[in-house]
Amino acid sequence: YDSKVIDNINRQMVPIRSSVLMTLSMQEASVLSTPEGRQLLQRQLTRSINQVLRDKEGFGGIDNVYFTNLVIQ
C-alpha cells in the first residue's frame, strides 16, 4: 500500500504540483490565519492530491497533508 502510493506520487508529481498550486492560489490570507482555515486547507489539499491520483492511477491513498512551514503573504 505505502510503496504503491509513493510510486504513484512520483509518477504523477507534475499534475499533483499543479493541483496543489491551483488549490493554494484560491486561498485567502484572512482564512488561513485561523486554525480552522489551515485545517480546511489541509483537507482541500488532501482531496486535490487524491483526485489526481484517482484520475491518473485509479487509487488515491493520501490520508492527510501536514505543514512543516506555512508563510502567508
Side-chain angles (χ1 to χ4, degrees):
Y1 170 80
D2 290 337
S3 64
K4 180 180 179 181
V5 173
I6 292 169
D7 291 343
N8 290 349
I9 289 170
N10 288 331
R11 272 193 303 276
Q12 302 303 329
M13 188 59 68
V14 172
I16 289 172
R17 285 180 188 224
S18 178
S19 180
V20 165
L21 289 173
M22 292 299 290
T23 302
L24 290 172
S25 71
M26 295 185 289
Q27 305 304 309
E28 293 186 24
S30 60
V31 174
L32 295 178
S33 66
T34 67
E36 296 82 11
R38 290 187 292 275
Q39 289 173 345
L40 176 61
L41 177 58
Q42 283 179 302
R43 289 191 300 272
Q44 290 172 339
L45 288 170
T46 301
R47 280 193 302 269
S48 174
I49 294 167
N50 277 325
Q51 186 62 50
V52 170
L53 291 174
R54 280 191 297 273
D55 290 348
K56 303 283 186 180
E57 300 288 342
F59 176 74
I62 301 298
D63 295 326
N64 201 354
V65 171
Y66 298 96
F67 300 124
T68 58
N69 192 7
L70 182 64
V71 177
I72 302 169
Q73 295 182 342

